[in-house]
Amino acid sequence: MASLLQGRLPISQDVLLMQKGTMMRKVRSKNWKKLRYFRLQEDGMTISHARQVGARAKASFSISDVETVRNGHESELLRSLAEEFPLEQGFTIVFHGRRSNLDLVANNVEEAQIWMKGLQLLVDFVTNMDQQERLDQWLSDWFQRGDKNQDGRMSFHEVQRLLRLMNVEMEQEHAFQLFQAADTSQSDTLEGQEFIEFYKALTKRVEVLELFGNFSADGQKLTLLEFVDFLQEEQKEGDHASDLALELIDRHEPSESGKLRHVLSMDGFLSYLYSKDGDIFNPSCLPIYQDMTQPLNHYYINSSHNTYLVGDQLCGQSSVEGYIRALKRGCRCVEVDVWDGPSGEPVVYHGHTLTSRILFKEVVATLAQYAFQELQKKILVKGKKLSTLEEDLEEEEELETELEGEQEPELESQFESETQELSPRSKDKNEKKSKAILCPSLSALVIYTKTVSFYNFTHSKEHYRFYELSSFSETKAKNLIKETGNQFVQHNAWQLSRVYPSGLRTDSSNYNPQEFWNAGCQMVAMNVQTAGLEMDIYDGLFRQNGGCGYVLKPDFLRDTQSSFHPERPISPFKAQTLQIQVISGQQLPKVDKTKEGSIVDPLVRVEIFGVRPDTTRQETSYVENNGFNPYWGQTLCFQLLVPELAMLRFLVKDYNWTSRNDFIGQYTLPWTCMQQGERVLPPLAKPLTLAAFLMLSSYAFPGYRHIHLLSKDGTSLHPASLFVHICMLEGLREVES
């Protein structure tokens, strides 16, 4: 079958030459450089590779996997081989998520340019695809996988195999009935539009059909008035529902005649529910929507720890790629550990470890290229600063005064302090403080974000300035939150704090950032190279506000007189109750793609992360052998004291009674970014008491929403999704199911 995107794919001489194929050298390291035959397949969306021309080819990657294409000069690896291969003949394919880059070297500059321009043309096309084009591409990919003999059509035997690949367990008789109904040519095979009709029959959404039928008089379409009724009654869109209905019909109705008649077909209704208009994430939170004129310490700041590392903390690789990836994912505070290198050339690495080293000048060049995209063309250099003699004497006097009458403090473990951080106090008050050897020219760059040692909150208030900052190990920060949480909140309302992972996390694991956000810590530094729950929460918070890397803290964390204590939050009037009905799932991916016969048994876990009393989780039962269109229809209920700090995570797992449930997909977002309708009262049969009125007016209904799942790496698992209904109620109350 030709690609469903045929006729819409960009065609150029470069693309046509890519489809003929090219021998190129695949480079993994200085010692691993092997010739491979790369070719763009007929679908225009898949790159295959083989050991040589005519050999059996394997799919290497899909165009949708590619983020961008870089020339050879931008590759660390290819630059290291510049004497062996001209950089003009090399290029790098950069993938979404944490997948390693692919470095290739063509036989000549012309071939390299053909692939670079052709690939970028296709990548730009995929990036700008609309919803229907993305679905068509997804179907084409599945057809390519199911069409085992690659003859452009699918027999029933191939369809049965495809169903297993797609996580569908279906009785053979029923599958054959759907196959025959779609085989209008009666050729005993499916091709083109026949396969599309088979897919539509396979993905019939009974729960959406029922919802559609509740508002459609004829069961075929929603008139304008019927659609307005749905938007008001279910989505709670309020008085503007009539204008919104016209916009949505024009946006989602596939039929031109339907648009002219202002009606919405079932396909259009499903398109609306599945689109950004029906997404759980509020579209108004996607662009920069927050006040960006407040002091820097009023924002959470997307921050990275040991940014140069792409592996572990002891023997891992240092690379400028760490900076590129961190900056492109919205990181606004990166770490550069500068040390003396050979011949006086400064290098960057994790000091006193076996991590590899990169040149400081390469890091600076990388920052110059990538750090300013969307930003304000300004950089603040954070670090220690060489002090004057007067400052040294003044600090010693202050310390001697403060240490009198105090018990000797315990020194943190050497593993709990970063190499660039000095121990705040010496064991003997008469012993001179050790001084770091700093480069004067680097020290001179530190102006507004000078690192200052933390002794206690009173000392900071009396002696430090608002534009200075202190760094805390995760252990130190946790202890401060537990012992003096309210003081930490007040401190973070006027001065910057940076929290970094424990030195014991040699595997580059992460802590949960939520605990430190609860206290208002702005720069909670993460090992962004390590995927997992912690980075899901982190990415979830910074998904809002244009992905700019700055998120305004709640007002009670910006008040220097705040009474808020993260460990003992007093129930404020903004406490809320949340009801989530997990209805169904769509096109969930297989956990183990190598096992054709294995089909997932999915369950959904909803997790809340916030202040300690709010942190909880609940889950549905599992659906046996159905990852394609599982149905749960189960309601989960949560009560929150501080919803402004809550993160909501939807996790889909494959149930396994013999071992840990396997990860399928997830989506995490701030409570404050859930799409909600207006608060409107339902028709009343009789007058209400004041108490009853207040209770009814406190309902907010996000309504029916789709949740588009992400992989462990945070990349899209399109079209995998969950369908839910959400209802919120202000206050902590019993809510009927």
Side-chain angles (χ1 to χ4, degrees):
M1 177 182 88
S3 170
L4 295 175
L5 296 172
Q6 210 70 37
R8 288 174 283 175
L9 282 169
I11 299 299
S12 69
Q13 188 63 30
D14 297 321
V15 172
L16 293 175
L17 289 171
M18 287 167 63
Q19 289 183 324
K20 290 184 177 180
T22 309
M23 289 295 294
M24 291 187 285
R25 202 171 296 276
K26 179 179 178 180
V27 183
R28 286 183 179 171
S29 67
K30 290 184 177 181
N31 300 320
W32 199 103
K33 300 156 288 194
K34 297 187 178 181
L35 283 171
R36 293 290 185 265
Y37 178 66
F38 288 88
R39 179 176 171 270
L40 174 66
Q41 294 186 357
E42 286 75 11
D43 65 356
M45 285 286 111
T46 308
I47 303 294
S48 64
H49 72 277
R51 291 184 178 273
Q52 57 190 20
V53 179
R56 184 176 179 180
K58 297 180 181 178
S60 184
F61 58 88
S62 170
I63 296 297
S64 60
D65 298 331
V66 181
E67 179 184 314
T68 191
V69 184
R70 301 186 198 145
N71 64 51
H73 293 272
E74 297 182 66
S75 166
E76 283 179 286
L77 178 56
L78 294 182
R79 284 201 303 270
S80 70
L81 297 170
E83 294 183 2
E84 189 174 350
F85 305 112
L87 289 175
E88 293 76 13
Q89 292 177 208
F91 59 97
T92 302
I93 298 171
V94 182
F95 298 100
H96 293 291
R98 294 174 176 82
R99 181 174 174 177
S100 299
N101 296 346
L102 175 60
D103 287 304
L104 298 174
V105 178
N107 294 314
N108 52 61
V109 176
E110 184 182 6
E111 285 184 353
Q113 287 297 314
I114 287 171
W115 277 83
M116 288 176 63
K117 291 189 292 184
L119 281 170
Q120 195 61 58
L121 182 68
L122 294 173
V123 169
D124 292 342
F125 170 73
V126 169
T127 302
N128 296 313
M129 276 182 179
D130 60 29
Q131 188 169 304
Q132 185 58 50
E133 287 173 329
R134 292 183 71 196
L135 179 60
D136 288 346
Q137 186 214 343
W138 184 79
L139 285 173
S140 291
D141 289 345
W142 275 114
F143 192 95
Q144 292 292 328
R145 292 179 64 183
D147 183 16
K148 199 163 187 179
N149 61 3
Q150 296 294 297
D151 64 353
R153 60 190 69 188
M154 293 184 67
S155 65
F156 180 63
H157 177 72
E158 287 175 319
V159 165
Q160 285 182 296
R161 174 177 174 271
L162 178 64
L163 291 178
R164 290 192 295 271
L165 289 172
M166 297 178 83
N167 255 332
V168 181
E169 184 174 86
M170 183 180 291
E171 291 182 0
Q172 182 171 327
E173 183 179 348
H174 181 51
F176 189 61
Q177 288 175 350
L178 296 180
F179 179 88
Q180 285 186 313
D183 182 20
T184 54
S185 64
Q186 297 184 340
S187 62
D188 293 330
T189 59
L190 299 181
E191 41 185 322
Q193 190 62 35
E194 293 176 332
F195 179 69
I196 295 175
E197 294 305 318
F198 175 76
Y199 170 78
K200 285 184 177 180
L202 200 64
T203 56
K204 187 175 288 186
R205 301 276 300 276
V206 176
E207 74 281 12
V208 177
L209 280 170
E210 182 179 341
L211 183 60
F212 184 83
N214 290 341
F215 291 87
S216 171
D218 63 4
Q220 301 298 313
K221 64 183 182 302
L222 289 174
T223 65
L224 180 60
L225 289 178
E226 289 170 342
F227 190 35
V228 170
D229 286 344
F230 169 78
L231 293 175
Q232 289 182 330
E233 293 180 28
E234 296 294 350
Q235 308 297 73
K236 305 302 175 188
E237 293 295 352
D239 295 335
H240 73 299
S242 295
D243 293 335
L244 179 62
L246 287 171
E247 292 178 21
L248 294 175
I249 289 173
D250 187 60
R251 198 175 300 153
H252 298 291
E253 174 53 42
S255 163
E256 290 300 324
S257 63
K259 290 179 181 178
L260 291 173
R261 292 184 294 132
H262 296 158
V263 298
L264 193 66
S265 64
M266 177 60 192
D267 285 345
F269 183 65
L270 189 56
S271 173
Y272 152 66
L273 288 175
Y274 192 75
S275 72
K276 288 183 179 179
D277 295 310
D279 195 281
I280 191 173
F281 196 97
N282 190 343
S284 65
C285 293
L286 289 173
I288 293 179
Y289 71 98
Q290 295 181 332
D291 178 6
M292 301 299 288
T293 63
Q294 298 200 25
L296 199 59
N297 49 289
H298 284 189
Y299 298 87
Y300 295 123
I301 303 172
N302 193 327
S303 304
S304 165
H305 172 248
N306 288 355
T307 315
Y308 46 87
L309 289 178
V310 293
D312 66 61
Q313 303 287 311
L314 293 180
C315 305
Q317 178 189 359
S318 301
S319 170
V320 295
E321 194 64 38
Y323 292 96
I324 296 172
R325 292 181 180 181
L327 290 167
K328 295 188 79 170
R329 69 187 297 131
C331 184
R332 293 298 170 254
C333 176
V334 297
E335 190 170 10
V336 186
D337 289 338
V338 189
W339 299 80
D340 284 335
S343 306
E345 183 75 44
V347 296
V348 173
Y349 83 111
H350 195 193
H352 309 300
T353 69
L354 298 178
T355 57
S356 63
R357 307 179 182 202
I358 50 178
L359 295 178
F360 175 61
K361 64 182 180 183
E362 291 194 354
V363 172
V364 175
T366 300
L367 294 178
Q369 183 174 355
Y370 290 94
F372 295 112
Q373 295 176 11
E374 300 174 334
L375 296 184
Q376 299 298 315
K377 301 292 182 182
K378 296 177 181 178
I379 278 184
L380 296 175
V381 179
K382 167 203 167 291
K384 291 184 177 63
K385 191 171 178 66
L386 290 171
S387 56
T388 63
L389 177 61
E390 291 79 3
E391 288 174 333
D392 285 345
L393 292 173
E394 183 180 344
E395 184 178 5
E396 285 180 11
E397 288 176 5
E398 291 168 359
L399 285 178
E400 286 179 6
T401 301
E402 289 171 7
L403 287 174
E404 286 181 6
E406 289 187 8
Q407 289 186 347
E408 185 179 297
E410 289 186 12
L411 289 177
E412 289 189 359
S413 162
Q414 62 178 359
F415 294 107
E416 289 295 334
S417 61
E418 292 196 301
T419 54
Q420 71 271 28
E421 298 290 340
L422 290 175
S423 177
R425 302 178 185 174
S426 61
K427 279 198 170 186
D428 184 347
K429 68 178 183 181
N430 296 316
E431 182 183 335
K432 289 186 178 180
K433 285 182 62 180
S434 61
K435 296 293 180 182
I437 301 174
L438 297 177
C439 172
S441 57
L442 281 180
S443 172
L445 295 175
V446 179
I447 301 173
Y448 293 112
T449 47
K450 174 186 173 183
T451 300
V452 291
S453 299
F454 177 81
Y455 304 106
N456 56 59
F457 294 117
T458 301
H459 176 272
S460 295
K461 191 69 175 177
E462 292 177 352
H463 298 99
Y464 294 153
R465 300 171 179 86
F466 68 90
Y467 53 80
E468 296 172 329
L469 66 88
S470 298
S471 289
F472 305 87
S473 71
E474 62 174 287
T475 304
K476 178 69 173 178
K478 285 180 179 180
N479 289 336
L480 288 173
I481 292 170
K482 184 177 180 180
E483 297 166 4
T484 54
N486 177 246
Q487 286 183 275
F488 207 0
V489 167
Q490 294 178 353
H491 174 86
N492 288 326
W494 73 272
Q495 193 179 51
L496 288 168
S497 290
R498 175 178 176 270
V499 181
Y500 58 88
S502 162
L504 296 175
R505 295 183 181 275
T506 56
D507 59 351
S508 294
S509 60
N510 280 306
Y511 44 48
N512 186 338
Q514 188 70 50
E515 186 173 3
F516 309 111
W517 289 335
N518 292 344
C521 297
Q522 302 89 349
M523 303 157 73
V524 182
M526 304 289 281
N527 292 314
V528 298
Q529 71 269 37
T530 306
L533 162 67
E534 297 80 11
M535 280 308 301
D536 291 344
I537 296 172
Y538 208 80
D539 291 339
L541 178 73
F542 290 105
R543 187 167 287 118
Q544 62 182 307
N545 210 31
C548 70
Y550 297 92
V551 171
L552 191 64
K553 298 193 292 186
D555 54 3
F556 55 84
L557 294 181
R558 308 196 306 266
D559 180 3
T560 55
Q561 303 300 316
S562 175
S563 61
F564 180 75
H565 194 302
E567 289 291 295
R568 297 183 290 277
I570 300 173
S571 298
F573 67 94
K574 292 182 180 179
Q576 292 186 351
T577 298
L578 171 69
Q579 267 191 325
I580 301 175
Q581 183 188 20
V582 181
I583 302 173
S584 62
Q586 296 77 43
Q587 286 88 58
L588 304 179
K590 293 174 75 74
V591 172
D592 188 348
K593 295 181 180 179
T594 62
K595 297 180 180 178
E596 289 187 8
S598 93
I599 296 174
V600 300
D601 304 325
L603 61 84
V604 178
R605 178 186 297 165
V606 179
E607 302 171 328
I608 305 285
F609 298 94
V611 294
R612 196 177 302 277
D614 291 346
T615 301
T616 185
R617 68 186 188 186
Q618 296 180 39
E619 63 184 36
T620 67
S621 57
Y622 68 92
V623 175
E624 191 172 356
N625 286 338
N626 188 349
F628 196 73
N629 54 358
Y631 179 84
W632 293 279
Q634 294 177 246
T635 300
L636 311 176
C637 186
F638 303 90
Q639 298 187 330
L640 281 86
L641 291 173
V642 192
E644 301 95 327
L645 290 174
M647 298 293 296
L648 189 61
R649 184 175 188 244
F650 293 85
L651 174 65
V652 185
K653 306 205 83 175
D654 179 17
Y655 173 76
N656 189 332
W657 68 274
T658 61
S659 62
R660 258 178 94 177
N661 298 339
D662 292 318
F663 176 95
I664 293 178
Q666 67 85 29
Y667 188 81
T668 308
L669 77 162
W671 176 288
T672 54
C673 291
M674 277 198 296
Q675 186 165 191
Q676 302 177 27
E678 294 181 2
R679 297 181 181 184
V680 294
L681 289 176
L684 303 176
K686 59 181 180 180
L688 292 173
T689 64
L690 177 61
F693 173 82
L694 290 174
M695 186 167 185
L696 277 173
S697 64
S698 66
Y699 276 99
F701 296 86
Y704 289 96
R705 303 294 175 196
H706 272 94
I707 299 165
H708 298 274
L709 297 175
L710 304 176
S711 69
K712 284 183 179 178
D713 260 353
T715 56
S716 172
L717 289 175
H718 177 83
S721 65
L722 297 175
F723 187 46
V724 300
H725 183 271
I726 296 178
C727 171
M728 290 193 296
L729 174 68
E730 287 191 354
L732 305 180
R733 305 183 177 132
E734 292 293 328
V735 181
E736 294 182 5
S737 300

